[in-house]
Amino acid sequence: MLRDDVNHNLLSNKQLNVSSISSLDTFNTKNDYSLNLNGRSSYNSADSDVQLQNSSNTTANAFSTGNYNSTNGYGLINGAAAVARAAGQNTFADVPDLGGNNWGADLVKAPEVWAHGYTGKGVVVAVVDTGVDHNHEDLTNNIWTNTKEIAGNGIDDDGNGYIDDNYGWNFADKNNNTLDDNGHGTHVSGTIAGENNNYGVTGIAYDAKIMPVKALDSSGSGSYSSISKGIRYAVDNGANVINLSLGGGSSNRTLESAIDYASSKGVIVVMAAGNDGDSSPDYPARYASKSGIAVGAVDKNNNMPDFSNRSGTNQIAYVTAPGVKVYSSVPNNQYDTYSGTSMAAPHVAGIVALMLSANSKLTDAQVRQIVTETAGNSTQTTSSSLNLSNVSSLASQVIADTAVNKTQATSSSFNSSNFSSLIGQAITETAKSLTPETIASWNNSDFSPAIGQTTSETGYAYAETTKYLTSAEGNNGLTNPELWSQFQNYENILGSTNMDSNEDENNLDFGKQLEGRQKQIDQYRKLSGMA
């Protein structure tokens, strides 16, 4: 059965101007400052009114600066790149998609991370929501428990101010019953840490622990005060990540202060952007200008639905994640499909948990930086550190030592094997990493030193360097064909790169070779914008 994850009566209430804060994405702006799930927090996945916008089209018309634009912020979160960066490694190689109901994990590249042994183990993610069904078969083994508390003895054993808070605390009803009486919090929890047990749902960080913090009642309503207290409780009791799949239209100093408190303690708060279809996020997601991460929704084709609030022109830490027809757990050992930015946020919370399982010392600021710098709109991928000045600095001495004294007489004995041995280090360190993205990102200051050296001394440097762009066997294919094939000018640029391996390289006409290489250099200059 498909059910609305924000409000079971949402479809019949669309004519109402409901503005409430919810565990689904909306805060109430009424005088009592209550928040609930109604109205703007999440949408039924079967709702025919949910429309998708082609992300490439909306981005084209969006305000942008660097890798950020006013529609989808920094773009789709990339778990493989983010966790690899957190671990101090190169981005993890692609693995086969899981498919089916796990399409969300595939889209954020979680399986690539799991393949390297990072599964969220040792990380606690607090779900501040409608509660969590800690008896659910897909969650029960991944529920945080307060080991300092003796269950049922009516005593505050750990002295934290909450009696018998073995499974977290209920700030909506002011008791220790954190069971989910709505469904939303359990759905969110499954996306974060559903067990990897070959049935149901596999969470993004399937070995992480979920800390239930109930701040919203059965209708999804709650106060700013309850949510703020829930955040502080999570921080003080060992949470590493906090998921806030809720939001509202007005700011609140108490809530903002709680998020700042979490950030100051190294706890990363992940916040749903809201489902109003607005040009900027709801609160608290808008606080991602300084703390935490805001999350918008996309579908399985990375298209943004019309309901997802955009990132806005004021630059904030905003990324996108799967939020359309997301399959996950609901109470009583059931599963359901929900849509909303509430469903997108736990995908990001899961990735952050994976990052912390790779590097537990990351701060909020570091997580924000890594997530935004590695997300889908970034042009800095695995070769982000590749700078052609490195090529120049490594090869300049070799060129100076060999080419400056080169004459027509000596050029006949200047073969590729000799040259390769001389500049092997430069090529090994840099040329193997060349991709269309890194070439396109070279600026004049990076590119000109190497061009100048090569043009004046020897075109042969690029003859050998470009050979590393091709496969080792016969030079008939590109090392990274899946990258180059997406780059519309690659055939023109590399069309004359391959060399005939049967050619007698000791008797090459050096003048013709140099002329050919000069033409190739000119093509690179055009590509880099220098010509």
Side-chain angles (χ1 to χ4, degrees), residues 112-178:
E112 282 79 355
V113 179
W114 304 338
H116 287 260
Y118 302 116
T119 59
K121 192 173 184 63
V123 179
V124 177
V125 182
V127 175
V128 179
D129 213 292
T130 60
V132 179
D133 181 2
H134 60 254
N135 297 312
H136 196 290
E137 60 185 355
D138 231 358
L139 295 173
T140 186
N141 292 326
N142 285 342
I143 298 295
W144 170 89
T145 56
N146 186 352
T147 58
K148 300 177 182 179
E149 195 75 16
I150 300 174
N153 68 353
I155 299 173
D156 180 14
D157 298 291
D158 59 1
N160 69 352
Y162 303 96
I163 298 173
D164 292 339
D165 57 326
N166 299 85
Y167 292 103
W169 192 256
N170 182 337
F171 290 92
D173 301 313
K174 299 180 177 60
N175 60 43
N176 65 355
N177 181 8
T178 57

Side-chain angles (χ1 to χ4, degrees), residues 50 52 103 297-300 303 305 307 322-326 338-340:
V50 174
L52 301 175
W103 68 267
V298 294
D299 73 344
K300 64 176 56 181
N303 292 323
F307 65 74
V324 177
K325 298 183 179 179
V326 174
Y338 291 176
S339 294

Side-chain angles (χ1 to χ4, degrees), residues 38 43 65 83 85 106 137 141 273 356 370 412 420 454 470 514:
N38 298 334
Y43 288 80
T65 175
V83 178
R85 177 85 68 85
D106 293 331
E137 60 185 355
N141 292 326
L356 294 177
I370 291 172
S412 62
S420 294
T454 307
T470 63
L514 184 58

Side-chain angles (χ1 to χ4, degrees), residues 167-501:
Y167 292 103
W169 192 256
N170 182 337
F171 290 92
D173 301 313
K174 299 180 177 60
N175 60 43
N176 65 355
N177 181 8
T178 57
L179 285 172
D180 188 3
D181 50 8
N182 175 280
H184 185 267
T186 302
H187 195 280
V188 166
S189 298
T191 297
I192 296 170
E195 283 193 68
N196 184 14
N197 50 17
N198 297 318
Y199 65 84
V201 60
T202 300
I204 301 302
Y206 59 74
D207 278 334
K209 296 294 186 183
I210 295 293
M211 178 190 289
V213 180
K214 184 171 171 59
L216 305 170
D217 63 20
S218 60
S219 68
S221 297
S223 68
Y224 283 102
S225 174
S226 294
I227 294 169
S228 300
K229 289 178 180 177
I231 293 170
R232 289 179 179 272
Y233 174 90
V235 174
D236 293 340
N237 287 277
N240 307 110
V241 185
I242 297 174
N243 188 90
L244 296 180
S245 286
L246 44 76
S250 62
S251 62
N252 179 271
R253 185 66 190 95
T254 301
L255 181 62
E256 182 180 10
S257 176
I259 294 171
D260 290 343
Y261 175 71
S263 176
S264 72
K265 298 295 185 179
V267 179
I268 296 86
V269 182
V270 178
M271 303 163 283
N275 300 326
D276 312 297
D278 286 349
S279 58
S280 58
D282 283 339
Y283 293 96
R286 209 175 298 186
Y287 297 139
S289 58
K290 59 177 180 176
S291 300
I293 301 169
V295 187
V298 294
D299 73 344
K300 64 176 56 181
N301 296 314
N302 195 24
N303 292 323
M304 182 171 277
D306 61 350
F307 65 74
S308 179
N309 287 353
R310 310 302 191 262
S311 50
T313 55
N314 294 324
Q315 197 162 331
I316 63 174
Y318 178 113
V319 293
T320 59
V324 177
K325 298 183 179 179
V326 174
Y327 183 82
S328 188
S329 51
V330 291
N332 302 315
N333 291 332
Q334 300 297 310
Y335 299 87
D336 212 340
T337 303
Y338 291 176
S339 294
T341 58
S342 284
M343 284 61 256
H347 283 86
V348 174
I351 292 298
V352 173
L354 295 178
M355 294 172 66
L356 294 177
S357 69
N359 184 350
S360 61
K361 296 181 180 180
L362 291 174
T363 65
D364 174 56
Q366 290 171 328
V367 169
R368 283 159 47 87
Q369 179 180 359
I370 291 172
V371 166
T372 55
E373 287 184 352
T374 58
N377 292 343
S378 175
T379 57
Q380 306 300 315
T381 56
T382 59
S383 301
S384 60
S385 63
L386 178 66
N387 185 315
L388 207 53
S389 63
N390 295 337
V391 178
S392 178
S393 61
L394 287 170
S396 59
Q397 184 175 357
V398 174
I399 292 173
D401 289 344
T402 59
V404 72
N405 294 320
K406 179 170 79 292
T407 64
Q408 185 67 35
T410 60
S411 64
S412 62
S413 62
F414 190 68
N415 59 47
S416 63
S417 62
N418 293 337
F419 191 85
S420 294
S421 64
L422 289 170
I423 66 167
Q425 182 185 2
I427 291 174
T428 300
E429 295 299 321
T430 58
K432 286 182 179 180
S433 299
L434 294 175
T435 68
E437 294 168 328
T438 55
I439 289 178
S441 68
W442 289 341
N443 58 40
N444 292 1
S445 61
D446 293 335
F447 198 67
S448 55
I451 288 290
Q453 287 278 5
T454 307
T455 302
S456 62
E457 301 297 345
T458 165
Y460 230 92
Y462 269 96
E464 287 303 306
T465 301
T466 54
K467 287 175 71 174
Y468 274 82
L469 298 175
T470 63
S471 64
E473 250 180 85
N475 296 325
N476 291 322
L478 295 169
T479 300
N480 299 309
E482 71 282 359
L483 293 174
W484 285 100
S485 62
Q486 298 171 20
F487 197 61
Q488 60 182 358
N489 296 322
Y490 84 98
E491 290 183 343
N492 295 331
I493 295 168
L494 298 179
S496 61
T497 298
N498 295 340
M499 297 180 64
D500 185 353
S501 58

